[in-house]
Amino acid sequence: MTTIDFAKGHGTGNDFVIVPDLQDALPLKDAQVALLCDRRFGIGGDGLLRVAPSEDPAAEWFMDYRNADGSIAEMCGNGVRVFVRYLLEKGLAEGPAVAVATRAGIKTVHVEGDELRVDMGSAAFGPTSQASVEGFTWPGQAVSMGNPHLVCHLGDDAELEALELYHQPRYDTGVFPHGVNVEFVVGTAPHVRMRVHERGVGETASCGTGACAVGAVALRHAGQGTGVCKVDVPGGTLTITVTDETLFLTGPAVIVAEGTFRV
């Protein structure tokens, strides 16, 4: 029997299994990741964060992020904050700024009291598209935060609450050949509310990169382009700050458990 040390953490309810692999000796297979993230037969999580040495001299650690089904994802805004919280608590990094290597490039995370602020880089706006749920279709804006998003604005809170997001919304595979995270939003900047279906996971209590995409779209629709937008998610509130040069994601990240998993 093989054992795997792990920790469990979350950022506004977006939860992750953290696997320290400080010698880069534990490359996890898709099925192992899916088992660890399984909420009945494993530990349970929206995704897995493997802590591995970085090959980039600009960062000591690489965040090997995987979706709950084992598939590889480019970036996770809540995940990188939880990743850094783990590094800080284990003495593997020191603040107030920590550089992390990800598949979407180096992300620098700043400690701000109980919260962590991530320089996410600029939002890249793509074409308009659409998403459908149970026969209803809404127009949306494609946005890349290193990973793909489709932001759809709804009419009111009741419409948002009524959405069935257990299943993947239908989307244009020509625009999103590798899948997409779909955000449904109500309200206008500087304060909006969203729900999200994450590819490879399902509906989650929060999505950091999704909140970034939503905040950027909301500020653009408000005619500002830059500024601050609060984004309420089912698990809490995230703050998006858009400047002329970049975008910052600010929110909490906590480690809630540690243990050993038997494979």
Side-chain angles (χ1 to χ4, degrees), residues 10 156 172 225 229 250:
H10 77 89
D156 54 40
D172 187 341
C229 185
T250 305

Side-chain angles (χ1 to χ4, degrees), residues 195-214:
R195 289 175 63 191
V196 58
H197 185 286
E198 290 196 58
R199 59 176 180 168
V201 185
E203 183 174 12
T204 57
S206 180
C207 176
T209 53
C212 292
V214 164

